[in-house]
């Protein structure tokens, strides 16, 4: 299960479709080869997402097929 504490690296390994999802949300440039460090929560907070929005992102990531 994906949580807000899941690292970006682990997320991409769990669900590769998460790359496009996060890109669409404006969270980090994962496709450009830039190394990604930190958790989903940290990356989302850097982009100004609220705790409620981060919870919704986690739900949506868990529901990706």
């Amino acid at each position: 299960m994906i949580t807000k504490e899941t690292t970006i690296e682990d997320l991409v390994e769990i669900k590769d479709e998460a790359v496009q999802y996060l890109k669409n949300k404006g969270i980090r440039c994962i496709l450009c080869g830039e190394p990604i460090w930190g958790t989903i929560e940290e990356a989302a907070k850097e982009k100004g997402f609220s705790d409620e929005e981060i919870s919704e992102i986690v739900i949506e990531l868990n529901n990706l097929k």
Side-chain angles (χ1 to χ4, degrees), residues 5-17:
E5 290 86 18
T6 301
T7 64
I8 299 295
E9 298 88 348
D10 288 342
L11 174 64
V12 172
E13 287 184 25
I14 295 166
K15 292 195 178 206
D16 59 353
E17 61 273 22

Side-chain angles (χ1 to χ4, degrees), residues 10-42:
D10 288 342
L11 174 64
V12 172
E13 287 184 25
I14 295 166
K15 292 195 178 206
D16 59 353
E17 61 273 22
V19 172
Q20 187 62 44
Y21 173 86
L22 292 177
K23 182 180 175 192
N24 291 342
K25 292 284 188 183
I27 300 174
R28 303 268 181 124
C29 178
I30 299 173
L31 297 176
C32 69
E34 172 185 317
I36 303 299
W37 303 103
T39 65
I40 294 168
E41 180 179 37
E42 291 166 342

